[in-house]
Amino acid sequence: MTEVINPATEQVVATVPATSAADTDAAIERAHRALPAWRAVAPGDRARLLRRFADAVDSDVDNLAALEVANSGHTIGNARWEVGNVRDVLHYYAAAPERLFGRQIPVPGGVNITFAEPLGVVGVIVPWNFPMPIAGWGFAPALAAGNTVVLKPAELTPMTAVRLGELAREAGLPADVFQVVPGKGSVVGQRFVENPLVRKVVFTGSTEVGRQIMAGCAAQVKRVTLELGGKNANVVFADADLEAAAASAPYGVFDNAGQDCCARSRILVQRSVFDRFLELLEPAVHGVVVGDPADEQTEMGPLISASHRASVESYMDETVAFRGSAPAGPGFWFPPTVLLPRTPTDRAVVEEVFGPVVTVQAFDDEADALRLANDTEFGLSGSIWTRDVGRAMRVARGVEAGNLSVNSHSSVRYWTPFGGVKQSGLGRELGPDALDAFTETKNVFIATEGE
């Protein structure tokens, strides 16, 4: 059994059974046996089941949100959004079964057609920072494409995934088509990698573990989608609306207490407005409301665990410029913190802190901004603040990242593709592109000319 801890109170809120390697293999075997019947379900009927699943999630929004607040320390506002995201992603991919089009390709002597066919059993490994949305990004397109899914939630945050599994069955999905198996990554996740019946692994988490999963899957030429770390730049040019850029900057990095691969944890400001930007940023940071995640007014909750808080604390040194506030007493609290690094190679500049910590650096011109923005092994997300449309396009094309926003910190829309470059991962989730990751193209030639 695994104890589930509320990070805002440090109290045990639940105990969840940890799945063994043998039980994981049994779940994979059941998913494999369920595959032929599930892929044979008429497209309209599969779509209808996914819509019913989405409706079941929507009907359970208050319960799911409360579970996430207690389990993950997410603010209640964020938790409700996350439930809605699962619902919306299911509705979006409910349209896919009837639109998995092949092609007719002109060839001599016959007809050539292609089919988009399911891969088989898909293993989805979910991180602790966004347990509900990231689960949905994996299982919704996989199920829509006719695959069966075995999902492993993070050890720290299994509660909402377990509930989503229950809702799927209540909605009418066959029990073995979508299974949730809580447990250790070294046990459950490893079986996803090693068991040959699993034909694809979807992993969101650290780059280090992602490399291990990719290497393990290579032994069986098994497909992977990897969404890994990020060290994203928020580039602010002198011609930007500085007031808007400074006011929004804390929410681009401190949302979910900075435990977000898309966090804009490096603010790059043009040197001519650097001091003015810092003047505007300080009150914005002090204004972030940190506290009880169940309170409607709270904007930032705690970190996930004591060990993670210790990891974030290790980045603190004399470069602290200013900090916000955080509650005292029980809970894994950490105040929003702004650092002015001494060198471009400071740990907080180079490494993914994964907490409410942001560095601020100066740049001279566009070329210098791009040099700093790309001076990282990661390439997931980022923001560009400027009033010059031409500059926005030039810099967006120059930044090595999979998702960029101009005068915004938006990273995720379920109807557009999401994913990283370099050490931030492989493949794309969400939007129309995700279905390609869960289907195999079969080519069929039919001869029409007589002998």
Side-chain angles (χ1 to χ4, degrees), residues 320-346:
V320 173
F322 44 84
R323 311 181 82 171
S325 61
F332 309 124
W333 305 101
F334 199 92
T337 302
V338 176
L339 304 180
L340 296 179
R342 294 183 300 270
T343 73
T345 58
D346 283 9

Side-chain angles (χ1 to χ4, degrees), residues 249-417:
Y251 302 96
V253 64
F254 300 145
D255 184 59
N256 199 31
Q259 299 167 129
D260 183 354
C261 295
C262 292
R264 276 65 168 169
S265 58
R266 294 183 299 142
I267 303 178
L268 310 179
V269 184
Q270 197 154 18
R271 197 175 304 277
S272 62
V273 295
F274 186 84
D275 292 340
R276 176 56 180 158
F277 181 85
L278 283 179
E279 290 175 358
L280 294 167
L281 180 63
E282 185 168 5
V285 170
H286 289 308
V288 176
V289 181
V290 184
D292 180 2
D295 189 323
E296 297 283 354
Q297 303 306 310
T298 296
E299 296 176 313
M300 190 185 106
L303 294 170
I304 190 63
S305 68
S307 62
H308 187 55
R309 181 174 60 185
S311 173
V312 174
E313 181 66 41
S314 72
Y315 290 89
M316 297 301 102
D317 58 21
E318 66 272 16
T319 67
V320 173
F322 44 84
R323 311 181 82 171
S325 61
F332 309 124
W333 305 101
F334 199 92
T337 302
V338 176
L339 304 180
L340 296 179
R342 294 183 300 270
T343 73
T345 58
D346 283 9
R347 285 181 62 223
V349 176
V350 175
E351 299 176 13
E352 185 177 30
V353 179
F354 220 60
V357 177
V358 66
T359 61
V360 188
Q361 298 168 269
F363 68 86
D364 294 314
D365 52 23
E366 280 187 32
D368 196 30
L370 284 172
R371 179 185 64 81
L372 288 171
N374 293 332
D375 188 19
T376 173
E377 64 179 353
F378 299 108
L380 183 59
S381 195
S383 298
I384 303 159
W385 288 79
T386 178
R387 289 187 171 98
D388 185 329
V389 175
R391 169 177 286 154
M393 290 302 298
R394 289 192 303 272
V395 176
R397 294 302 300 272
V399 173
E400 297 168 347
N403 309 272
L404 292 165
S405 297
V406 177
N407 299 329
S408 165
H409 297 303
S410 173
S411 289
V412 176
R413 290 179 175 84
Y414 61 83
W415 61 95
T416 62

Side-chain angles (χ1 to χ4, degrees), residues 41 46 154:
V41 172
R46 194 186 308 148

Side-chain angles (χ1 to χ4, degrees), residues 57-70 73-88 130 132-133 160 293-298:
V57 170
D58 194 44
S59 297
D60 205 50
V61 60
D62 291 335
N63 177 51
L64 281 166
L67 286 175
E68 205 64 275
V69 170
H74 290 192
T75 64
I76 184 63
N78 279 8
R80 289 196 192 103
W81 179 90
E82 290 157 19
V83 180
N85 184 258
V86 176
R87 173 203 62 215
D88 293 343
F130 288 105
M132 280 191 287
T160 47
D295 189 323
E296 297 283 354
Q297 303 306 310
T298 296

Side-chain angles (χ1 to χ4, degrees), residues 13-69:
V13 293
T15 55
V16 176
T19 309
S20 67
D23 287 341
T24 302
D25 283 337
I28 293 168
E29 176 64 34
R30 291 193 300 271
H32 178 67
R33 290 198 302 267
L35 180 66
W38 179 243
R39 68 179 292 176
V41 172
D45 292 334
R46 194 186 308 148
R48 192 172 299 109
L49 284 169
L50 292 176
R51 289 195 295 269
R52 287 173 57 181
F53 187 5
D55 291 341
V57 170
D58 194 44
S59 297
D60 205 50
V61 60
D62 291 335
N63 177 51
L64 281 166
L67 286 175
E68 205 64 275
V69 170

Side-chain angles (χ1 to χ4, degrees), residues 140-162:
L143 292 172
N147 303 279
T148 54
V149 173
V150 185
L151 183 144
K152 190 201 89 66
E155 295 168 58
L156 295 173
T157 56
M159 292 171 63
T160 47
V162 170

